[in-house]
Each structure stands twice: as C-alpha cells, then as structure tokens.
Amino acid sequence: VAEMTAMAGGEPGEPNPEEFVYGEEDFVLQAAGWGDPDSAPSRFDRVLLAGWSDRMERGLFRYRLGPLPTRVLPGPVRLVVQLNEQRSAERRPPQPVRSLRDPFDPGAFNFTRLRPAELLFRLRRTGGPGPPPDPLLVAINASPLGRGHVLLLPEPARRLPQVLTAPALRGAMEAALLSAHPGFRVGFNGLGGGASVNHLHLHGLYLGRPLPLEEAPAEPLGPRLGLLRAGPAPAFLFFAPGPAALEPVSRAVCRAAEHVAGAGLACNVLATRGDPPAGPGAGGGRGLRVLLWARRPLFGPKAGEPFAVALCELAGLLPLPAEPLYRDITEVQALSAIRQHLLPEPELLQLGGELARLLEN
C-alpha cells in the first residue's frame, strides 16, 4: 500500500496534511543492525525525514539543529549524555500542571494551534491485523531533541488530555514498526512525569545508539509482565513479538497506566525494538519492548535539579542544557538526579505484584 494522498474533509478550519497509508506488509519486522543503522531507510523513514528536513530549511523550528556533542559516561549504567543548549533556552515553557487528572484547557497552548506547515502527514492503516488504530497526525516537534523528532497526535480536535489511550499507543507502536532504523523509538510523558502540554501526544525519536534496556533480561512478575532493572530506573516490561500482539499489549499497558495513576503516581512509557523479556540468548526473535515507569509526580519545576527527568532520562539518554554540565557530570550525579523521582524498592515491588494480578484477570 505505497501511497500518499491529499486529505479531503476533516474539521472546518483544520489543516489537511497528506495521508501516509500503510498496510501490514509495510511493517519492518527486522530493522537494520546498529553496525549500519542508516543502511536502507523504509518508506516511512524517507517521507518523515524528508519532510522534517524541509521544515528545518524553511525555518519552522525554534532553532536550527546541528550535530549534537554526545558521549557515554564512564560507569556500569553507560548513560548517554548529549549537549542540546538551544532546546533548554528556546523551547516553550512547560504548562503548569496541578494534578494527574487536569482536564484539557482550551485556553492554554494545544495542538489545534499548530501551523499547517508543522504537520508532515497523517498515518492511516488499511487491512489487518485486527481493526486499524485511530489515525495519527505526525507533526514536527518545534524544539527537537534530535533529527527527525516528531509528535504523534491522535485527532487534535478531540481535545483529549494527556492520558494515554490504547488506540493512540497502538498507532505509535505501529509507527515504530514502519521504521527500518533500529533506534526509532516512540514514547509518552504523563502529567506529573515531564509532559509539557496537556493535550494527548506521543513522541517519535531517532536515537543514534543502542541502550541497555533493549536486550537486558527482565525478572518475570507474571505471564505478561516483567521488571527490567537495566538503565538508570527500573521499569515494568511488556513485549509484543509481532504486529498481532500490538493490540493486546497496548491495552495491557494502558490498564497498567490507569492503575498507576489511581495510586497517585505519574508514568512514562517507551516502545523500542528489543529482545524478548528473557534476553537475547533465550530464543525467540526481536519484537517491541514497551517499558512503563511509575514515579512520584512532580508539578512545576524542581529547584536545583541539574536536568528535568522525563522519558529520555529514564531510558538512559540525557539531553543536557549547558556545556559545563555536559563536560563534568558523573554517572553518580546523574543517577542521583534521576532516582530521587523513583519509588522505594518495597513500593515498586508491591506495585509490580498489583499490576501482575490486574493483567491476569
């Protein structure tokens, strides 16, 4: 199903980007290896990156993104730090969030206000497996973390608050399978967990290097849930071995996220290509690993923090705002900044037991 078509209809006054129509045959089940991640980009990668570069040339971003200095911190966790001074200086200030249940606020910045040129295309699946997810708009993130950083937006006119839904997550996971790049990852920051806009959106990011959480084995908590301790912060791990599993996994992740919110905790979610939960040597091919972090919610900036902690930081990639910090930070300092947001071990294990029981019913 190789087509891009101009959209018709839509909400009055809503921009109509081109449609990127795909079918199951467009899923890249085995992405390129890390030895040559750019070897053979998929149709999705070509269209996304061409559109993204075009918008950069046209000056639609808040800053021009050049190569970002990147290094791995010495230490067992192998944190990746990246210097991105412009993002911290130029990005729109995050919206004030007062609770995990803040309703959508039409008066605040939201994605119905995007300029038509910021939209790249609308993703729409035809055919199986299962009913297609809701279409997703793919838009530039005007304050990008890296080349190809996009927003994945369920119909903005529905004005949904920043609470993860299974159709939105499944559409984002399908987008991850449309990329042939091993480091194209999709993720979600919840309210109180680093979300800067209270309007339902996910992120799509090309990250240029592997992270330990793609292959490290997880401790089983139940038939469909593991606890992954690789990286700077333990996460609950779900696994989709192939396209047919995306629908049940997206529902399980959202049930877990709802339970986490009910416990008064914020969450972050990342979907990345990776090995089965038992790790690379345990048999079974790579699929999509979905990680859910439960954490203490943070409302408003925290004084004295060296960096904000959201999805990337929990996964082990730290975009840093200033050169001295990038140059001097140690693994111990970085882990200390991240781990103050996490649950104590007994609370984490109790929550893991609750989620395992919830998902078995």
Side-chain angles (χ1 to χ4, degrees):
V1 187
E3 52 178 304
M4 291 281 288
T5 53
M7 289 287 296
E11 294 284 314
E14 278 247 318
N16 286 319
E18 291 191 317
E19 275 207 317
F20 184 102
V21 181
Y22 66 95
E24 191 174 2
E25 67 277 13
D26 291 295
F27 292 142
V28 181
L29 299 182
Q30 292 299 324
W34 279 108
D36 187 10
D38 301 312
S39 55
S42 66
R43 179 169 69 97
F44 172 83
D45 296 316
R46 291 194 302 271
V47 170
L48 187 156
L49 292 168
W52 194 93
S53 299
D54 165 72
R55 304 318 192 267
M56 182 60 77
E57 289 307 312
R58 286 159 59 184
L60 288 166
F61 290 82
R62 288 175 167 252
Y63 47 86
R64 196 167 178 86
L65 192 74
L68 298 170
T70 304
R71 70 189 186 94
V72 176
L73 293 186
V77 184
R78 301 195 55 70
L79 296 171
V80 178
V81 293
Q82 203 162 55
L83 178 61
N84 192 337
E85 293 174 291
Q86 291 166 294
R87 179 173 161 84
S88 61
E90 309 285 345
R91 68 181 293 203
R92 181 184 293 107
Q95 282 172 16
V97 174
R98 289 167 297 280
S99 82
L100 298 171
R101 306 281 186 196
D102 269 10
F104 175 85
D105 176 2
F109 172 80
N110 63 76
F111 300 117
T112 65
R113 301 185 186 181
L114 292 179
R115 297 169 288 180
E118 292 180 68
L119 303 175
L120 300 179
F121 50 86
R122 179 180 270 123
L123 274 176
R124 181 168 67 82
R125 172 155 71 71
T126 58
D134 294 347
L136 290 178
L137 281 175
V138 180
I140 62 170
N141 186 324
S143 303
L145 281 163
R147 174 174 174 256
H149 182 183
V150 291
L151 300 170
L152 305 169
L153 309 171
E155 198 50 67
R158 290 167 63 197
R159 303 180 172 218
L160 299 170
Q162 183 66 349
V163 174
L164 193 57
T165 67
L169 177 59
R170 184 158 60 100
M173 289 165 72
E174 292 194 357
L177 288 185
L178 290 172
S179 172
H181 192 287
F184 182 74
R185 300 172 171 119
V186 297
F188 171 84
N189 291 318
L191 295 176
S196 58
V197 177
N198 185 12
H199 190 182
L200 183 54
H201 65 288
L202 293 96
H203 293 267
L205 288 159
Y206 288 89
L207 300 180
R209 54 184 69 212
L211 296 170
L213 46 74
E214 291 164 37
E215 57 175 40
E219 301 162 22
L221 296 175
R224 288 180 288 176
L225 186 69
L227 180 63
L228 186 72
R229 293 183 183 272
F236 297 110
L237 176 67
F238 303 76
F239 184 68
L246 299 183
E247 203 271 335
V249 167
S250 61
R251 275 189 294 125
V253 172
C254 288
R255 282 185 75 194
E258 205 173 299
H259 183 85
V260 165
L265 300 169
C267 79
N268 303 80
V269 175
L270 175 76
T272 180
R273 290 182 186 269
D275 289 293
R286 282 167 76 85
L288 277 185
R289 285 185 163 203
V290 184
L291 295 101
L292 183 150
W293 288 274
R295 56 182 289 178
R296 304 217 173 286
L298 178 64
F299 302 118
K302 191 161 181 177
E305 273 204 312
F307 50 83
V309 175
L311 159 70
C312 286
E313 292 77 9
L314 293 168
L317 173 82
L318 279 51
L320 297 178
E323 205 280 328
L325 181 64
Y326 169 78
R327 186 185 62 226
D328 298 333
I329 194 166
T330 65
E331 182 180 273
V332 169
Q333 290 166 332
L335 291 176
S336 159
I338 293 168
R339 288 177 175 164
Q340 62 179 327
H341 297 277
L342 306 182
L343 306 182
E345 179 84 358
E347 212 175 308
L348 178 76
L349 294 176
Q350 184 189 337
L351 179 62
E354 291 169 10
L355 294 179
R357 287 190 293 277
L358 174 80
L359 298 174
E360 277 168 47
N361 298 331

